[in-house]
Each structure stands twice: as C-alpha cells, then as structure tokens.
C-alpha cells in the first residue's frame, strides 16, 4: 500500500473516530487530523506525478 493510500485511509479512520467519541473538543481534533492527512495525501500524490516523476521511473 503506497503512502497516499495510507494517508487517505487514516483520514477515513479519524473521521469515523470523530463521530464515535463523545467529547466535542476531541471530536474536532480528530476531524482536523483527518483533514490534515487527506490534504497530505493529495500533496504527496501531486508531488509524485510531477514532471520529474517520468525521469525517475
């Protein structure tokens, strides 16, 4: 499993965990971490698809 898929899977787990916890502050924290993982996965995928990716393959 590549890093992008791992980060997007972590997003899903964190968001579901945010729905399951009872504390409002903890819930917002989990949503924030999930969003950060999702954005990091997108940025990592874009970096891997850049113009230098064809040269390294």
């Amino acid at each position: 499993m590549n890093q992008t898929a791992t980060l997007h899977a972590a997003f899903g787990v964190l968001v579901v965990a945010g729905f399951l916890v009872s504390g409002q502050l903890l819930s917002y924290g989990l949503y924030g971490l999930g969003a950060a993982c999702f954005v990091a996965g997108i940025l990592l995928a874009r970096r891997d698809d850049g113009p230098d990716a064809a040269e390294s393959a």
Side-chain angles (χ1 to χ4, degrees):
M1 186 186 264
N2 64 15
Q3 291 176 341
T4 302
T6 303
L7 286 168
H8 282 105
F11 159 75
V13 169
L14 288 168
V15 168
V16 168
F19 282 118
L20 295 177
V21 297
S22 59
Q24 186 176 11
L25 184 62
L26 181 59
S27 189
Y28 289 153
L30 290 171
Y31 295 150
L33 285 174
C37 286
F38 189 78
V39 171
I42 292 172
L43 292 176
L44 185 63
R46 296 266 174 134
R47 187 190 65 159
D48 289 344
D49 292 340
D52 296 332
E55 296 174 4
S56 65

